[in-house]
Amino acid sequence: MAKDELAKEFKYIGTRPDRPDGFDKVTGKAKYGADVAAVGMLHGAVLRSPYAHARIKSINFEKAAKLDGVKAIVTRDDFPVGIDGDTLKLLENTIAGEFAYYDGHAIAAVAATSVHIAKEAINEIEVEYEVLPHVIDVDEAIKPEAPVVRENAGDFSVPEGCSPNVASYIEFGIGDINSGFDKADLVKSGRFKTEAAHQGYIEPHACMAQLDHDGQGEMWVCTQGHWYIRQMCASVLGLEASKLCVTPSEIGGGFGGKTTIFIEPLALALSKKSGGRPVKIVMSRAEVLRATGPTASASMDVKIGITKDGYLTSGLVEFRMQGGAFGGSPVSEALQCAFASYNMPAVHHIGYDILANRPRAAAYRAPGSPMAAFAVESLIDEICTDLNLDPIDVRLKNAVKEGDKSSYGPKFKKIGLIETLEATKDHPNYSISLGDNQGRGVAAGYWMNHGGETSVSVSLAEDGSVNVTVGTPDIGGSRASIALMTAETYGIPYNSVRVNIAETGALGFNEPTHGSRATLASGKAVYEAANQTISEMCKRVAKKWQIDPDAVLWDNGYAKPAGPNAGDFSPISIKQIASEMDQTGGPIAGHHEASIRGVGHSFGVHIADVEVDPETGRITVLRYLVAQDAGRAIHPSYVEGQFQGGAVQGIGWALNEEYVYGTDGCLQNAAFLDYRIPVASDLPNIDTVIVEVPNPDHPFGVRGVGETGIAPPLPALANAVAAATNVRLRSLPMSPAKVLKAIKTGSDGC
Amino acid sequence: MQYHSPSSFNEAVAISNSSSGLVKYLAGGTDVLVQLKIGTKSPDHLIDIKNIPGVREISLRDDGGYTIGAAVSGAQLTEHKELSKKWPGLVEGMELVGSAQIQSRATLVGNLCNGSPAADSVPGMIVAGASVSILNSSGTKDVLVEDIPSGPGSTSLENGELITAINLPKRKDYEGDAYLRFIPRTEMDIAVVGCAVNLSLENGVITSAKVVLGAVGPKVILAHSAADCLVGTKLDGNILSRFSAKCSQIAKPISDKRGSEEFRKDIIGVIAQRAAKKAYDRALGNN
Ligand SMILES: Cc1cc2nc3c(=O)[nH]c(=O)nc-3n(C[C@H](O)[C@H](O)[C@H](O)COP(=O)(O)OP(=O)(O)OC[C@H]3O[C@@H](n4cnc5c(N)ncnc54)[C@H](O)[C@@H]3O)c2cc1C
């Protein structure tokens, strides 16, 4: 499916070698967050609020402190005062001050000589709480009379008369939506709801930290971005950032949830209080589910106008998203993604970021886009059914293309939505015939992608192999992809490149592996840095040949004379240049630092086939196809892995993942047994089509591919269920009970 | 906590009777160790029965029935071809427990003694007419499996009583059993509802039926009146829908995070009906 306009021939890019970190990961040798240990290390444990909302009247840890083996106990009193703004929210979420805002909110932490003693000490801490009214559901929280989560939480943007739980308000659009609706032959609207979903990474948060009295410290941590950890820890603890050195472990998944701090400042504070001993904290699964970031829950209204031949004339969305006790739901990203796939004359967006007594929302794969896709792509499907139009054709008619201004402002450069839609239309999965109680659903999805602050270095080893140092932890195979791009740039074998992930002291600031950026941004920076070393090698060879540096060119691992006029010299290999570095001017290394732009947006289209058991409401996914524009697939297996992983997380969100709260506001299903992410046997093979419309702003055409794939499954499955049952579910998850009720009563679940 | 590894049943019971605090027998450990880890039960003494000779054996008795040792794992049951052929419903109930890793440890006895109303192997054992051999300080006795569960998380076993084996009666021709459960996923879930059925046929007509419902009450429910409406039929006409309605009526579920009362009542009938059909087909083919 190569739609390649850069039309380059590649030697390494597009091949599928084993990933360099693969062997260690499958044999258990790789070191994850909980695998580090140090001499004299203490173990930390965290006391968490058993209430959804409470005033902390007193904390008494006298008994706990007397236990043999307890070395330090910290509460909010051990953290700096006088902090405000976003840093205060981070600190408040790290450790409660006057109030506990959700079930699982950290109250105190203990460091002891064993995990058992630390846990015992936690149970000995006496906290006096005054339980306060709480609110969990987004539609309840936005009511003016709702229990107030945090006083004065709303910012300047919040209109008069809103619930005190509205943290911020956003509104934007283009064109005249009313005249757009007037021109439509059909105007349809609907209300949609999605539950919060957890990222569900396999590896719970873990870190080991050491902090001296003089503010010098070190940390080993499982994270997507160690500079973020450094920055956030330094700010909530009042440290100087450069004095804290943070090393990332291997990472067992993050999906956005490991771009912020939870236990890390607690470990540092405990270490300092225990006289600088290293302190390790490892979360349990229950702690992960109660206290770390799910994405937001959402309640959404959509209105769309369309002509009878399938042209979208106008769109209006109002999204209300709950992002926990501190705000920060991805409502603005959701609004940006809502109509991004379509070229519409008029669109208008309204958004509310709402507080509730739930854990602070963290980023989750294409934050906001899945909810938006669920609402908009479901409604478009309803329209296609009403007008008897083919869902792919309607999307093709309205699809954005190069030069179009997007629904949220920026103009699109070369993009691949049309090619992706065509790929799904041509795919056999779109025409396989279906049986009784079976249905097919189509949906598109979008993610804008991100470049971000990036710093890398490249150095030549004495034998001509190459060391690459990046600051983006390898989650989905980025070492392999970066090694392939490096090999391609130099013209040396893939195995002669080693990609290292460096600690914070070794490079300039790097944003995390988030925003689908690691392969795109670190790859682009490595290309620049490698080219610096190539210029240097050509310069040294020119000196040797006593010709102008411009008369030397680099070709496939060799310095060569640029042409017959340059002189008659035999090519010199990278190996030889490397072996002579000492005599020719010393080490050869390059580095590149930039805020990477030109990310190349990525569109995806999914087709889901399901069967619904009409007697139990249980959904079986029969077939599933992901087609997505990768720009260029550097390592196709890891691109497919991203497509499949995104689809599976979206399928889980659509079908059975759900936060179950009791009337007391406490989470009842803080375990994978009852927080039902899909297991392998729940899924068919996820078929993939890699569409390649190269990103013109990337040296190899890369677009980020990590996130888009989670958006289309939510509507694709709802559309498939509607086709199978003739009832439309507008509320996720589509758990068996909800589906059965819909079949029996026609209720849409909202 | 102290760990014991006795080499005879009598020694195990003696240790239990002479120990103070919370004493727990340990079979596969897939309940005990999880409870220990999450802190819901912290025993002072753990008595591991896996090293007692014969405890992992399945044997055919002279009367034609099977005796299953207390530490026989789910995987061992599945691999036992004869037993699986004769009691497919019982074996499939146990086979549903957990995953491959859990299967290599988890036992019927542990599933029974953990006392969960949703335990997957218990309905199958009851409809099979299985009994357990119990050893206590005054000797041994045989008790029907159906008399062991007494409520959520509890059993009728007295302190220190140890189950040494499970006894299955002889399987006759034209008998068949089946167990089905409902879970939202395909594995690694706890039954939202479950149902086991055992049928005996003569010339295709059901002569006796046993039906047990799981996860729809504080303990398994022996659905006698539902079973009675199958007797004398070939599952024809509207028998199955009557049976289904009867099961829904008998069920007394609660609403919890795994399912509402209404949903459980709805689908227990569906699952029971499907289990009855499966058991009937098996009975027809079993001669
Ligand atoms: C990941 C996972 C998935 C699971 N999935 C399921 C499932 O799908 N369905 C299901 O029903 N269960 C499930 N379980 C629960 C568990 O695996 C089963 O209940 C299993 O059958 C228990 O057997 P065991 O031998 O491991 O019991 P153990 O943990 O050894 O013991 C369980 C109880 O029985 C008592 N006991 C053990 N032996 C004796 C004896 N000889 N005499 C008297 N008392 C005794 C113990 O003291 C304890 O109270 C799951 C567990 C896990 C961890």
Side-chain angles (χ1 to χ4, degrees):
Chain A
M1 201 16 74
K3 292 257 187 327
D4 194 342
E5 301 197 349
L6 295 188
K8 274 188 195 153
E9 284 285 318
F10 291 115
K11 197 165 168 185
Y12 299 104
I13 284 173
T15 63
R16 301 172 185 250
D18 288 346
R19 59 198 282 173
D21 49 317
F23 184 81
D24 283 0
K25 284 180 176 166
V26 299
T27 54
K29 274 171 67 188
K31 289 220 171 355
Y32 289 89
D35 294 330
V36 288
V39 175
M41 183 177 85
L42 301 173
H43 298 268
V46 182
L47 175 68
R48 297 183 180 278
S49 170
Y51 300 109
H53 195 190
R55 183 191 306 276
I56 299 168
K57 293 171 78 176
S58 68
I59 303 177
N60 182 347
F61 51 79
E62 252 172 60
K63 261 201 253 165
K66 283 195 191 121
L67 282 180
D68 216 14
V70 170
K71 299 295 177 190
I73 298 176
V74 296
T75 64
R76 182 63 174 273
D77 292 343
D78 296 281
F79 289 78
V81 290
I83 286 172
D84 57 15
D86 284 346
T87 305
L88 179 61
K89 287 186 199 163
L90 262 181
L91 175 58
E92 282 273 6
N93 191 49
T94 304
I95 188 156
E98 196 184 344
F99 298 99
Y101 289 115
Y102 54 91
D103 166 45
H105 196 170
I107 307 287
V110 175
T113 48
S114 80
V115 180
H116 297 289
I117 297 172
K119 284 188 179 157
E120 203 185 324
I122 285 300
N123 291 333
E124 294 295 331
I125 298 177
E126 294 156 13
V127 185
E128 206 188 332
Y129 296 98
E130 176 194 340
V131 179
L132 301 171
H134 65 271
V135 61
I136 298 293
D137 180 72
V138 59
D139 287 327
E140 291 300 319
I142 201 175
K143 288 181 181 161
E145 69 278 15
V148 180
V149 177
R150 274 178 37 246
E151 297 288 348
N152 305 318
D155 70 11
F156 63 91
S157 65
V158 179
E160 283 289 317
C162 275
S163 154
N165 294 325
V166 176
S168 67
Y169 175 85
I170 176 172
E171 188 174 347
F172 61 89
I174 45 164
D176 178 355
I177 53 165
N178 291 329
S179 85
F181 287 128
D182 288 344
K183 284 186 197 124
D185 295 309
L186 175 67
V187 175
K188 204 164 170 104
S189 56
R191 170 164 291 193
F192 296 85
K193 277 192 96 163
T194 57
E195 237 315 322
H198 197 273
Q199 294 82 349
Y201 27 81
I202 291 179
E203 186 189 6
H205 298 259
C207 71
M208 183 177 80
Q210 190 272 324
L211 182 63
D212 289 325
H213 63 279
D214 60 358
Q216 197 133 250
E218 276 198 76
M219 177 178 288
W220 295 263
V221 57
C222 167
T223 179
Q224 290 173 247
H226 35 307
W227 277 269
Y228 267 29
I229 298 290
R230 183 181 78 173
Q231 181 187 49
M232 293 175 188
C233 285
S235 66
V236 302
L237 286 159
L239 304 172
E240 259 187 313
S242 62
K243 285 198 181 163
L244 188 59
C245 180
V246 184
T247 306
S249 67
E250 292 300 333
I251 172 169
F255 312 109
K258 289 180 184 161
T259 55
T260 186
I261 50 170
F262 298 100
I263 47 176
E264 296 79 3
L266 302 178
L268 285 164
L270 286 168
S271 172
K272 188 171 173 193
K273 214 168 174 183
S274 66
R277 288 177 71 166
V279 175
K280 175 160 142 182
I281 304 182
V282 180
M283 275 195 184
S284 67
R285 180 63 59 191
E287 288 182 288
V288 169
L289 286 167
R290 285 169 73 202
T292 72
T295 188
S297 60
S299 165
M300 301 169 284
D301 290 318
V302 191
K303 185 175 170 187
I304 290 174
I306 190 168
T307 63
K308 56 180 179 305
D309 48 354
Y311 289 95
L312 300 170
T313 60
S314 194
L316 169 65
V317 286
E318 182 184 300
F319 291 172
R320 299 164 294 272
M321 289 190 171
Q322 168 284 128
F326 302 95
S329 73
V331 66
S332 100
E333 291 89 336
L335 295 173
Q336 289 171 41
C337 292
F339 294 115
S341 299
Y342 306 114
N343 190 357
M344 294 164 69
V347 285
H348 197 74
H349 312 78
I350 295 169
Y352 294 87
D353 180 23
I354 299 160
L355 308 189
N357 294 105
R358 300 174 70 156
R360 183 175 204 245
Y364 181 17
R365 213 167 191 154
S369 184
M371 302 81 147
F374 177 60
V376 171
E377 295 289 300
S378 292
L379 195 65
I380 290 180
D381 195 68
E382 293 184 42
I383 289 171
C384 293
T385 308
D386 288 355
L387 296 177
N388 201 16
L389 297 169
D390 177 86
I392 296 184
D393 286 343
V394 167
R395 287 175 174 86
L396 272 168
K397 277 183 184 166
N398 296 283
V400 284
K401 57 184 182 314
E402 185 174 7
D404 288 346
K405 192 174 159 71
S406 69
S407 58
Y408 62 97
K411 208 168 167 180
F412 286 119
K413 289 194 175 176
K414 188 85 199 152
I415 47 172
L417 176 56
I418 290 174
E419 290 81 349
T420 308
L421 283 162
E422 283 166 350
T424 49
K425 207 174 171 188
D426 295 343
H427 195 278
N429 281 25
Y430 197 51
S431 48
I432 294 174
S433 61
L434 295 169
D436 290 345
N437 302 314
Q438 299 183 349
R440 175 165 298 147
V442 174
Y446 171 72
W447 186 243
M448 53 284 265
N449 287 334
H450 181 61
E453 279 185 274
T454 307
S455 166
V456 304
S457 73
V458 170
S459 63
L460 203 58
E462 54 282 8
D463 57 1
S465 61
V466 170
N467 258 302
V468 176
T469 304
V470 299
T472 40
D474 180 357
I475 310 182
S478 58
R479 280 190 187 90
S481 298
I482 289 166
L484 283 168
M485 290 185 274
T486 309
E488 194 73 54
T489 307
Y490 285 103
I492 59 172
Y494 169 77
N495 284 331
S496 296
V497 181
R498 177 178 171 130
V499 180
N500 304 303
I501 318 270
E503 36 89 1
T504 49
L507 293 169
F509 192 90
N510 271 283
E511 278 186 39
T513 297
H514 69 171
S516 298
R517 72 176 216 97
T519 300
L520 173 117
S522 288
K524 189 170 179 178
V526 166
Y527 173 79
E528 299 293 343
N531 275 313
Q532 283 171 15
T533 65
I534 287 174
S535 303
E536 177 64 21
M537 287 191 282
C538 290
K539 218 158 84 189
R540 294 195 189 183
V541 169
K543 203 165 168 191
K544 186 167 175 163
W545 287 339
Q546 297 187 338
I547 61 174
D548 197 77
D550 290 347
V552 180
L553 65 72
W554 190 259
D555 180 27
N556 225 351
Y558 287 84
K560 286 181 179 170
N565 293 344
D568 183 18
F569 303 102
S570 352
I572 300 187
S573 71
I574 191 170
K575 269 194 171 27
Q576 192 183 336
I577 300 169
S579 69
E580 294 167 354
M581 281 189 295
D582 184 19
Q583 292 88 50
T584 59
I588 296 176
H591 60 100
H592 187 77
E593 297 79 23
S595 283
I596 302 288
R597 315 242 179 259
V599 293
H601 318 278
S602 184
F603 293 88
V605 181
H606 294 197
I607 302 178
D609 286 1
V610 304
E611 180 167 327
V612 181
D613 182 337
E615 292 180 321
T616 65
R618 197 169 170 285
I619 296 167
T620 303
V621 184
L622 301 170
R623 240 167 262 111
Y624 202 93
L625 174 72
V626 180
Q628 190 182 322
D629 178 14
R632 166 118 44 224
I634 300 299
H635 192 304
S637 299
Y638 303 141
V639 171
E640 288 158 3
Q642 291 297 320
F643 289 5
Q644 293 170 324
V648 169
Q649 289 189 312
I651 290 169
W653 198 342
L655 297 188
N656 286 306
E657 291 183 35
E658 184 168 18
Y659 276 67
V660 182
Y661 283 95
T663 50
D664 59 358
C666 293
L667 185 62
Q668 296 192 335
N669 59 334
F672 274 158
L673 186 59
D674 294 304
Y675 181 82
R676 293 171 172 131
I677 63 173
V679 298
S681 54
D682 292 342
L683 299 159
N685 182 51
I686 309 290
D687 301 319
T688 55
V689 176
I690 302 175
V691 178
E692 294 188 295
V693 178
N695 172 10
D697 289 328
H698 191 275
F700 300 111
V702 170
R703 297 175 195 276
V705 296
E707 293 172 282
T708 303
I710 195 176
L714 284 64
L717 287 166
N719 297 344
V721 169
T725 60
N726 278 324
V727 287
R728 169 65 57 176
L729 278 142
R730 295 192 185 84
S731 161
L732 298 183
M734 296 183 285
S735 56
K738 213 188 267 175
V739 176
L740 189 62
K741 191 167 174 201
I743 292 171
K744 289 189 165 181
T745 67
S747 111
D748 68 2
C750 271
Chain B
M1 188 192 70
Q2 236 183 310
Y3 171 83
H4 308 267
S5 179
S7 50
S8 75
F9 290 125
N10 284 323
E11 191 189 342
V13 173
I15 295 171
S16 175
N17 288 333
S18 62
S19 304
S20 56
L22 182 62
V23 184
K24 281 259 147 202
Y25 291 118
L26 177 77
T30 61
D31 280 315
V32 171
L33 297 184
V34 174
Q35 289 155 1
L36 194 127
K37 196 171 167 201
I38 61 176
T40 48
K41 276 183 195 151
S42 309
D44 301 291
H45 295 271
L46 263 189
I47 306 173
D48 189 347
I49 60 161
K50 285 192 290 297
N51 297 314
I52 297 171
V55 81
R56 298 199 209 196
E57 277 163 27
I58 301 172
S59 46
L60 188 60
R61 294 189 310 270
D62 292 343
D63 67 0
Y66 284 100
T67 296
I68 302 170
V72 167
S73 69
Q76 272 179 282
L77 283 183
T78 317
E79 279 163 15
H80 197 288
K81 293 214 171 60
E82 273 302 303
L83 185 80
S84 302
K85 212 174 134 208
K86 290 188 168 145
W87 299 101
L90 182 136
V91 173
E92 75 196 348
M94 190 60 211
E95 202 180 358
L96 287 172
V97 170
S99 58
Q101 293 93 324
I102 299 294
Q103 279 293 307
S104 63
R105 284 270 164 181
T107 65
L108 290 170
V109 171
N111 199 222
L112 176 63
C113 297
N114 186 52
S116 163
D120 281 311
S121 73
V122 175
M125 286 194 276
I126 296 175
V127 297
S131 67
V132 290
S133 304
I134 297 176
L135 179 70
N136 57 27
S137 46
S138 48
T140 57
K141 58 179 176 181
D142 236 36
V143 175
L144 284 174
V145 169
E146 63 192 59
D147 294 328
I148 300 294
S150 63
S154 68
T155 65
S156 60
L157 293 174
E158 302 285 336
N159 266 349
E161 284 193 327
L162 173 70
I163 295 181
T164 57
I166 289 172
N167 311 303
L168 287 174
K170 180 180 162 57
R171 197 54 153 163
K172 301 195 195 88
D173 286 349
Y174 299 109
E175 288 186 338
D177 64 345
Y179 173 76
L180 288 177
R181 69 171 178 185
F182 181 83
I183 54 171
R185 293 182 289 190
T186 47
E187 57 179 340
M188 301 303 284
D189 261 334
I190 303 294
V192 177
V193 306
C195 175
V197 176
N198 188 46
L199 302 173
S200 310
L201 314 184
E202 244 171 62
N203 301 322
V205 176
I206 297 168
T207 55
S208 83
K210 271 192 139 185
V211 177
V212 170
L213 312 179
V216 288
K219 57 177 188 167
V220 281
I221 296 176
L222 278 71
H224 296 298
S225 58
D228 288 348
C229 67
L230 301 178
V231 176
T233 77
K234 296 180 164 186
L235 296 189
D236 41 8
N238 62 355
I239 292 300
L240 278 173
S241 54
R242 267 176 47 208
F243 170 67
S244 172
K246 197 87 204 165
C247 289
S248 293
Q249 192 196 333
I250 295 167
K252 294 280 173 289
I254 52 162
S255 288
D256 67 7
K257 60 192 170 190
R258 295 184 182 132
S260 68
E261 181 186 339
E262 181 195 353
F263 179 62
R264 284 183 155 130
K265 264 182 149 333
D266 264 356
I267 58 167
I268 185 66
V270 175
I271 297 303
Q273 192 181 99
R274 292 177 185 177
K277 269 196 255 178
K278 202 166 172 186
Y280 185 80
D281 289 344
R282 282 176 174 163
L284 276 181
N286 178 19
N287 53 358

